[in-house]
Amino acid sequence: MDLAEKAAAMSLESKPKNVQTKREDYIDWKEYFMATAFLAAKRSKDPSSQVGACVVNKDNKIVGTGYNGMPIGCSDEEFPWGKYTESPLDSKYLYVCHAEMNAILNKNAADVKDCTIYVGLFPCNECAKIIIQSGIKEVVYLSDKHAHKPETIASKRMFDAVGIKYWQYKPKNQRIVIDFSDIDWNAMSP
């Protein structure tokens, strides 16, 4: 934390809380869901790209989350994480499950039909196929850094063909801090 951030945090801490009215500094639904995708990404062991995804139904209920990682039963220690290898069999690309796939497969609902998926990176063509087949109707992404790649172009082409809406999320806040010391359970009055 730099000096300006510390000063801002201290000034926030020094202001007494008004516990009689609704807070005004809460995050909105879209920010909450994208932040959830980013929090899920923190579980990824990928050394170069940590991506998370969050699937949400029309009632603003999270029905699945996922991050990029090895398939269940494939050891993180035994399978490769490298990108640039002589043999494709020695790189992560043939093994890692993407966040979108994991979020859809990890669903806690009967299906994800008509849901929205929030994801850090625009989905690749393989994830686009899974998104389409699952019935998801909207894709909200933060970064489209691979827009020039054939995989991303193919994704957009498929989404356009089937009418899946996709749009780039522009965060209101560059950072959302999770501070476990925000709630001091010992100091709370009954």
Side-chain angles (χ1 to χ4, degrees):
M1 193 181 287
D2 68 15
L3 220 43
E5 289 173 323
K6 284 181 183 176
M10 287 174 65
S11 71
L12 287 175
E13 290 171 10
S14 63
K15 292 180 186 175
K17 288 184 179 182
N18 182 346
V19 295
Q20 302 301 324
T21 61
K22 177 180 85 171
R23 275 182 49 229
E24 297 297 327
D25 62 342
Y26 60 90
I27 60 175
D28 66 24
W29 285 116
K30 290 174 178 65
E31 195 163 31
Y32 172 64
F33 299 135
M34 188 59 77
T36 300
F38 269 68
L39 183 60
K42 294 289 186 187
R43 286 282 310 139
S44 176
K45 294 174 184 155
D46 192 314
S48 60
S49 297
Q50 301 82 48
V51 181
C54 178
V55 180
V56 180
N57 70 16
K58 63 182 177 352
D59 298 319
N60 285 332
K61 304 286 189 244
I62 295 174
V63 297
T65 59
Y67 56 89
N68 56 320
M70 294 297 168
I72 295 169
C74 294
S75 171
D76 299 299
E77 306 299 325
E78 294 175 22
F79 282 83
W81 286 104
K83 289 175 75 168
Y84 309 110
T85 61
E86 286 185 34
S87 168
L89 291 173
D90 295 328
S91 81
K92 66 180 181 175
Y93 294 113
L94 296 179
Y95 308 104
V96 170
C97 296
H98 286 184
E100 300 92 331
M101 175 194 297
N102 280 328
I104 291 166
L105 292 174
N106 292 341
K107 69 185 181 299
N108 60 15
D111 62 42
V112 293
K113 188 175 188 316
D114 298 325
C115 286
T116 298
I117 189 166
Y118 288 77
V119 65
L121 284 175
F122 196 92
C124 71
N125 62 306
E126 293 301 320
C127 289
K129 290 185 259 185
I130 294 168
I131 289 167
I132 292 165
Q133 293 297 88
S134 72
I136 287 175
K137 294 297 180 198
E138 184 175 21
V139 175
V140 182
Y141 61 94
L142 189 73
S143 172
D144 196 9
K145 73 178 187 177
H146 300 298
H148 63 285
K149 291 187 174 181
E151 295 88 344
T152 305
I153 295 167
S155 295
K156 290 176 182 176
R157 191 173 185 184
M158 287 187 282
F159 287 158
D160 290 341
V162 299
I164 290 180
K165 179 181 170 185
Y166 54 90
W167 56 276
Q168 186 172 28
Y169 177 72
K170 302 286 186 185
K172 292 182 207 167
N173 299 296
Q174 289 303 304
R175 297 168 52 139
I176 296 174
V177 177
I178 297 174
D179 184 350
F180 291 115
S181 66
D182 274 350
I183 299 175
D184 183 356
W185 295 101
N186 296 324
M188 296 195 66
S189 55

